[in-house]
Amino acid sequence: MAAVLVKGQNAGLDAAEVVLAVRGGVAADLSALLVTEAGTVRSDADFVFFNQPQAPGVRWTGAALEVSPAAVPADIAQVRIVITAATEGDRFGGAAAPVASVTDRAGNVLYEYVIEGLDQESVVIAVELYRRGAQWKVRAVGQGYAGGFADLVTDHGVTVDDEPQPVAEPLVRTVPGEAALSFEKKQVLDLRKREVAKILIDKSAFGTRARVVLVIDKTGSMHKLYRGGTVHRVVERMIPVATQLDDDGTLEAYLYALTYAQLPDITVADGERWARTYLHLTGTHEGIDYDRLGGRNDELPIMRAVIDTLAASPAPTLVLFFTDGGFAKKREIATLMREAAHLPAFWQFIGLGKANFGVLRTLDELDGRVVDNAGFFALDDIDRVDDAELYRLLLGEFPDWLRAARAAGIVGP
């Protein structure tokens, strides 16, 4: 029996060749875009459709697209399958929801995705095949373009012969759980996702997949930031980063002081409840003794704990580390960062408030590392920094590290 995917969900793809088709809904044409990590084609030859039915690893047959993942060029990160209403004026919301299917060459249906929630869109990215290390995966996308075909192709770097079109908004990922949000929360999330996507596009890192790990200081000096809700808002603003980078759109989370606690992952749908449940300085909550974690900081145990997870996961990892100071053990932390430079993680340290951040301020000068694996910036009042600037600071160095880490063989191509 075929596995049924929901919007934003992904699954492994082990078949040597797969056939992608879409049935139901309004009459539609099928096409494919082969895009790099920047989210764009290398040239117009990476657009597969009726007038250009073949590209390396992808073949258009009219009713379907045949994909041989092993034959797709190494610099192609994703193959996006597109449906376009065949009749001018038709919209996908005007008929039953189309169904995308992924089958193997023997005709066995591997996955199906009912593309629900469409309205005025005439062009929709149905699904995408993408690389995750050495493996290929499939993701249910369901991203529509009400502006039509020209918006889609120009957004992906394909040249069109018509009059110049306005640049479309960056294509952002949708992950499971977004449908459960209120209209207002969806609007805020979408705006933030677009800001994250813009940064990744500017840094030629759009389409990158990485674990996102969130580490938050829970020492006594953070009392005002917890009481005033600043830390809760930090979590809200980190969720959009995970939606655009993490394979499942989730944040792995830790709180630390003298020791640390690993908390349940943060999801889009559960972010608000998660913050209310787990962001505390004292007491026992959900079985976690917050007093046992301590009231002052020692970064070495939590840093070691994160490092220990990296050997089991060769995927790139972005560590977002929020603290209001300390880091007094300069020599030990420097030694740990030199060790961590050989592992697939970039450490982005964020200082909250006016404090002594010790060794963090000298990370860029730290020698003895195979690659520069850490960045630091401090914000007197993070609530006064708008989303565009915050994400620029958060993500500005990660793509540079990723390229250097690939060149050094620390992460895969």
Side-chain angles (χ1 to χ4, degrees):
M1 181 179 294
V4 177
L5 303 180
V6 298
K7 188 171 185 175
Q9 188 177 3
N10 62 76
L13 203 61
D14 297 323
E17 294 184 346
V18 293
V19 179
L20 297 107
V22 179
R23 68 180 188 274
V26 300
D29 296 323
L30 206 58
S31 59
L33 291 156
L34 286 70
V35 301
T36 66
E37 286 186 343
T40 57
V41 299
R42 300 167 302 176
S43 72
D44 290 359
D46 287 335
F47 178 38
V48 178
F49 64 117
F50 67 93
N51 206 32
Q52 185 169 264
Q54 196 154 341
V58 181
R59 188 168 74 92
W60 180 89
T61 65
L65 285 155
E66 299 175 351
V67 180
S68 301
V72 174
D75 54 346
I76 293 298
Q78 299 157 6
V79 178
R80 294 177 175 161
I81 309 305
V82 178
I83 52 174
T84 306
T87 303
E88 186 174 353
D90 274 357
R91 297 292 183 266
F92 285 105
V99 180
S101 64
V102 182
T103 64
D104 62 19
R105 291 290 291 177
N108 300 306
V109 182
L110 306 177
Y111 302 106
E112 286 194 336
Y113 165 42
V114 180
I115 312 173
E116 298 176 314
L118 300 177
D119 187 11
Q120 294 301 306
E121 299 90 348
S122 61
V123 180
V124 174
I125 298 176
V127 297
E128 66 179 14
L129 308 185
Y130 67 100
R131 298 180 192 271
R132 181 63 184 266
Q135 185 186 17
W136 279 86
K137 304 187 79 173
V138 59
R139 177 181 292 110
V141 179
Q143 172 71 43
Y145 275 77
F149 186 73
D151 277 359
L152 171 84
V153 295
T154 55
D155 189 33
H156 288 79
V158 178
T159 303
V160 293
D161 295 328
D162 298 332
E163 291 297 314
Q165 300 288 326
V167 177
E169 287 290 327
L171 176 64
V172 298
R173 286 182 64 210
T174 299
V175 300
E178 292 188 24
L181 300 177
S182 68
F183 177 74
E184 291 77 11
K185 290 185 183 300
K186 284 181 187 176
Q187 283 188 310
V188 173
L189 178 64
D190 284 344
L191 289 171
R192 286 174 170 167
K193 289 196 302 184
R194 289 190 181 102
E195 293 299 340
V196 172
K198 287 176 184 176
I199 301 300
L200 295 174
I201 289 170
D202 287 346
K203 298 291 291 185
S204 298
F206 190 71
T208 295
R209 297 291 170 258
R211 291 173 62 208
V212 184
V213 177
L214 178 64
V215 179
I216 304 176
D217 189 335
K218 66 130 270 157
T219 55
S221 57
M222 292 278 290
H223 176 71
K224 288 184 179 179
L225 297 175
Y226 276 77
R227 185 181 62 188
T230 295
V231 178
H232 293 64
R233 291 186 288 275
V234 163
V235 170
E236 285 182 9
R237 297 172 80 180
M238 295 307 102
I239 289 173
V241 176
T243 68
Q244 301 308 294
L245 285 176
D246 188 85
D247 191 36
D248 297 317
T250 60
L251 278 166
E252 300 175 39
Y254 295 82
L255 290 186
Y256 87 96
L258 284 172
T259 183
Y260 66 89
Q262 182 173 5
L263 304 176
D265 291 353
I266 308 169
T267 66
V268 167
D270 203 35
E272 192 172 293
R273 187 204 65 83
W274 186 97
R276 292 195 307 269
T277 303
Y278 294 106
L279 290 179
H280 304 284
L281 294 176
T282 60
T284 300
H285 308 272
E286 297 294 311
I288 300 170
D289 184 348
Y290 284 71
D291 296 302
R292 183 189 64 80
L293 301 181
R296 56 187 179 85
N297 61 316
D298 183 352
E299 290 75 22
L300 294 177
I302 178 58
M303 292 176 70
R304 171 57 64 188
V306 173
I307 286 172
D308 288 345
T309 70
L310 298 175
S313 176
T317 297
L318 173 61
V319 182
L320 301 173
F321 200 116
F322 287 84
T323 178
D324 74 339
F327 287 75
K329 297 180 178 179
K330 181 175 181 178
R331 183 175 62 185
E332 293 91 338
I333 291 171
T335 299
L336 207 57
M337 292 308 299
R338 290 187 181 99
E339 174 190 340
H342 295 274
L343 299 170
F346 182 78
W347 300 71
Q348 181 60 66
F349 294 96
I350 304 98
L352 299 175
K354 299 177 181 179
N356 175 21
F357 294 106
V359 68
L360 294 183
R361 294 196 179 277
T362 62
L363 281 176
D364 284 340
E365 304 165 12
L366 183 61
D367 60 7
R369 293 176 295 167
V370 61
V371 294
D372 182 354
N373 63 332
F376 170 74
F377 63 90
L379 300 171
D380 290 348
D381 185 350
I382 194 170
D383 284 326
R384 291 181 177 271
V385 179
D386 66 27
D387 291 327
E389 177 64 9
L390 178 60
Y391 296 139
R392 184 189 68 79
L393 293 168
L394 281 173
L395 300 170
E397 294 187 60
F398 172 68
D400 298 330
W401 165 82
L402 186 58
R403 282 186 282 273
R406 283 182 174 139
I410 296 169
V411 298

